[in-house]
Amino acid sequence: MAHTAEIIAVGTELLLGNIANTNAQMLSQSLSGLGVNVFWHTVVGDNPLRLREALETARRRADILLTIGGLGPTYDDLTKQTICEVFGQKLVLHSDIAEDIRAFYESALHVPMPKNNLQQAELPQGCTVFDNPVGTAPGCAFEAEGIHVLMLPGPPFECETMLRRHVEPYLRALSKEVIVSHDIMVFGMGESSVDQLLHYKMTHMENPTLATYAKPAEVRLRATAKADSSEMAQAMLEPVVADVKAALGDVAYGVDVSSLEEVCKQLLLEKGLSLATAESCTGGTIAQRLTALPGVSAVYRGGVVSYWTSVKADVLGVPQAILAEYGAVSEPTARAMAEGVCRITGAEIGVSVTGVAGPDSDERGNPVGLVYLGLHTPDGTFCRRLDLGQRRRDRIRNVSANTALDIVRRYLAGLPLEPAHS
């Protein structure tokens, strides 16, 4: 039997935007892997009437309800009381939990337990108790009228700890089905083009399924299968992933990889080569993304952010004659920047970016969105021109950085330096 879940996060601070609802994201990811369908997320403030309305709605459409928050000792922590009223459960004091909370205050905080903390030891009669080793609010689960209700604390570390220790085993026992997904990462083809290419396949699949998700400057295709075991789901997914990769060609840059920079790092390690970056309009974005990867120092030598023309000349060694004749935003300058950063860092591969990110044209009248990317390698120097048009400044920077990394990936993988679909 397939289970349907709703996640109800309780807290006025969520509605005010003071904190992000990261717990719901974490729970959804976990439940998906357990074969539980999460069809609804609800956020409700610290108001018993509105929480009651949310619970009444949820119980009509889901057979697993997970609530987050409202288990603390303060006057507005009324999640347990409201849930018990809705489901006809009796709250009872668990003396052993009360003693644990009292001991925590005395040993860890060296103060007596406040009287209002005693309500944290009150749980539905006959429930399954979820102990909380990193906080004072225990969670619990009970079944009523065929609906499983699970209550979790709001602090993210406490919520995640309880999820791993108690919630996942509890839910795993309810269903034999598991869900397995693979992400096929795409750069060099827009979401609409990917959808057009794979539309028939996506609309005629039931299990596995295939869906597109737009990411900043790239596309993620998620293939998902549901089966009685992860091995069976994996077997169902393998031909789907292979077919999609074949259809997309070299714009599919990896499966279950986090980013283009991760792929570049791995290829550099495999080839025994090093990389350096020379950036202008991207302002060090490429360097920041690379250096965020653990262990990248084995392949990344360093970079130069040459925002001023004088830095391009004095640091990277771009000849003044090139800058005077062609300007900072030009193919000759991009080539010289890539060659210069290799010369000063000793890297075998150098990638450069120079362009106009906007909002205005540059002093030579080059339009917003004009970008040149240089790539210097042991096999020579290559340059690619991008005409990105009147896009937002951040969009131009992101697309330029992604394209620069993609050019590095293509060279290292022995692929054409420009995608066939571009």
Side-chain angles (χ1 to χ4, degrees):
M1 173 185 173
H3 291 279
T4 299
E6 179 160 352
I7 297 171
I8 302 175
V10 182
T12 302
E13 66 275 12
L14 294 168
L15 294 174
L16 294 175
N18 294 334
I19 60 173
N21 191 10
T22 56
N23 284 332
Q25 179 187 26
M26 176 181 62
L27 287 174
S28 284
Q29 291 171 342
S30 174
L31 267 60
S32 175
L34 295 170
V36 177
N37 299 310
V38 180
F39 288 160
W40 299 277
H41 280 195
T42 298
V43 179
V44 62
D46 297 301
N47 181 285
L49 179 59
R50 287 191 284 273
L51 176 56
R52 173 185 285 273
E53 292 173 351
L55 290 166
E56 293 287 5
T57 299
R59 71 187 299 183
R60 292 193 293 269
R61 62 190 185 187
D63 65 335
I64 296 176
L65 306 185
L66 298 100
T67 66
I68 312 167
L71 303 183
T74 60
Y75 73 94
D76 57 351
D77 289 314
L78 299 172
T79 297
K80 283 184 296 188
Q81 293 87 333
T82 306
I83 289 174
C84 286
E85 290 172 7
V86 169
F87 287 94
Q89 301 293 303
K90 181 182 178 181
L91 273 175
V92 297
L93 179 67
H94 290 241
S95 57
D96 56 332
I97 296 175
E99 286 304 315
D100 288 342
I101 298 173
R102 184 176 287 107
F104 172 81
Y105 270 89
E106 292 175 354
S107 63
L109 303 180
H110 307 292
V111 295
M113 181 189 76
K115 290 183 179 180
N116 57 350
N117 276 86
L118 199 61
Q119 75 179 36
Q120 293 182 299
E122 295 179 345
L123 297 171
Q125 190 171 33
C127 71
T128 300
V129 178
F130 298 158
D131 72 282
N132 185 349
V134 292
T136 60
C140 65
F142 66 84
E143 183 181 2
E145 304 168 20
I147 298 171
H148 292 269
V149 181
L150 292 82
M151 291 179 256
L152 310 178
F157 183 58
E158 295 182 32
C159 185
E160 182 174 12
T161 300
M162 196 170 291
L163 169 67
R164 307 304 178 201
R165 285 170 61 96
H166 298 293
V167 175
E168 289 179 343
Y170 183 95
L171 295 177
R172 195 175 289 115
L174 301 181
S175 176
K176 294 182 179 180
E177 288 187 313
V178 297
I179 296 176
V180 177
S181 296
H182 288 304
D183 289 337
I184 305 158
M185 305 304 297
V186 179
F187 180 76
M189 181 185 291
E191 185 182 20
S192 58
S193 298
V194 171
D195 181 83
Q196 184 177 3
L197 179 66
L198 299 170
H199 183 76
Y200 181 86
K201 188 178 187 68
M202 289 192 292
T203 55
H204 286 76
M205 295 174 64
E206 293 184 359
N207 186 27
T209 60
L210 191 63
T212 60
Y213 300 88
K215 295 186 65 183
E218 56 185 300
V219 177
R220 179 182 67 190
L221 268 166
R222 172 162 288 180
T224 303
K226 181 183 290 188
D228 289 339
S229 69
S230 58
E231 292 78 13
M232 292 176 63
Q234 180 64 35
M236 295 164 64
L237 285 173
E238 285 179 359
V240 174
V241 172
D243 288 348
V244 170
K245 289 176 63 179
L248 290 171
D250 59 21
V251 298
Y253 68 79
V255 178
D256 297 331
V257 294
S258 64
S259 59
L260 278 162
E261 54 267 29
E262 179 189 338
V263 175
C264 289
K265 171 193 165 185
Q266 188 57 42
L267 288 170
L268 287 164
L269 287 169
E270 292 173 4
K271 301 288 185 179
L273 298 173
S274 60
L275 173 69
T277 54
E279 302 180 64
S280 182
C281 66
T282 48
T285 300
I286 303 169
Q288 187 277 327
R289 287 172 58 176
L290 285 165
T291 54
L293 299 173
V296 79
S297 58
V299 294
Y300 181 62
R301 295 261 179 135
V304 175
V305 179
S306 54
Y307 217 61
W308 277 28
T309 300
S310 59
V311 178
K312 293 178 175 65
D314 297 341
V315 178
L316 292 173
V318 178
Q320 288 287 358
I322 287 179
L323 293 168
E325 182 174 356
Y326 300 102
V329 180
S330 65
E331 177 174 334
T333 297
R335 288 174 174 269
M337 288 171 63
E339 293 166 354
V341 80
C342 284
R343 184 173 57 253
I344 64 176
T345 64
E348 293 86 5
I349 299 172
V351 65
S352 66
V353 186
T354 181
V356 185
D360 302 312
S361 302
D362 70 2
E363 67 279 359
R364 289 186 173 238
N366 288 315
V368 174
L370 175 63
V371 179
Y372 290 94
L373 306 170
L375 180 71
H376 180 65
T377 76
D379 300 313
T381 305
F382 165 84
C383 186
R384 181 174 172 189
R385 171 176 171 148
L386 300 179
D387 293 288
L388 301 177
Q390 294 287 330
R391 303 188 187 187
R392 296 195 320 265
R393 181 179 176 84
D394 62 330
R395 176 72 172 173
I396 291 171
R397 285 160 54 93
N398 286 333
V399 172
S400 298
N402 266 29
T403 306
L405 289 164
D406 190 54
I407 289 173
V408 174
R409 171 189 76 93
R410 288 174 170 277
Y411 170 76
L412 293 169
L415 298 170
L417 294 183
E418 294 194 34
H421 303 282
S422 64

